[in-house]
Amino acid sequence: MTKIISHENAEHYTWGKVCDGWHFLKSSDLSVIQERVPPGGSEIGHYHQRSNQFFFVLAGEATMEIEGHTFLIKPQQGISVPPKVPHCLRNQGREDLSFIVVSAPMSHGDRVLVG
């Protein structure tokens, strides 16, 4: 069924105890998620076996470490992370970070943690 999706009707989840995610599209071959990371929040370094991801910042700034290189991604900028490439996203700014992550195929269940 086709419908308009928003924070009000999307499936919500919490990660890292302080971060939020909303599934805007959740299928085995494609996922679109909006996430919110408060200042100081971060994910654990990891990679995905199969999933190709694209991160697009809506508000705030994301610090993304990819294969040992650090990128500062500002609003209206994005970055791609291919499968099997270690990465870690952090919010080192003073305001909430809001971004969209598109994954093909879906990244849930595909994550491998790295040191």
Side-chain angles (χ1 to χ4, degrees):
M1 178 175 79
T2 301
K3 66 179 181 178
I4 294 175
I5 193 81
S6 69
H7 284 186
E8 287 75 33
N9 63 354
E11 177 186 337
H12 174 262
Y13 65 95
T14 303
W15 60 273
K17 298 183 182 178
V18 295
C19 303
D20 293 293
W22 293 268
H23 285 280
F24 290 158
L25 174 63
K26 186 178 181 181
S27 68
S28 60
D29 60 338
L30 179 65
S31 104
V32 178
I33 299 170
Q34 183 174 352
E35 295 191 354
R36 183 197 64 83
V37 180
S42 68
E43 61 182 357
I44 297 169
H46 65 281
Y47 65 89
H48 296 279
Q49 289 284 353
R50 298 173 308 280
S51 184
N52 189 5
Q53 295 188 301
F54 182 75
F55 295 80
F56 187 80
V57 173
L58 301 171
E61 293 181 344
T63 300
M64 180 75 85
E65 190 170 321
I66 302 173
E67 289 189 304
H69 299 280
T70 302
F71 300 89
L72 181 64
I73 309 160
K74 297 181 179 187
Q76 303 303 303
Q77 294 180 334
I79 195 163
S80 179
V81 182
K84 299 185 180 176
V85 173
H87 59 282
C88 181
L89 178 139
R90 297 184 306 277
N91 180 358
Q92 296 179 313
R94 294 183 177 165
E95 63 181 84
D96 280 358
L97 165 63
S98 177
F99 64 95
I100 299 286
V101 59
V102 178
S103 304
M106 176 186 279
S107 63
H108 285 70
D110 183 37
R111 188 169 80 156
V112 178
L113 299 180
V114 295

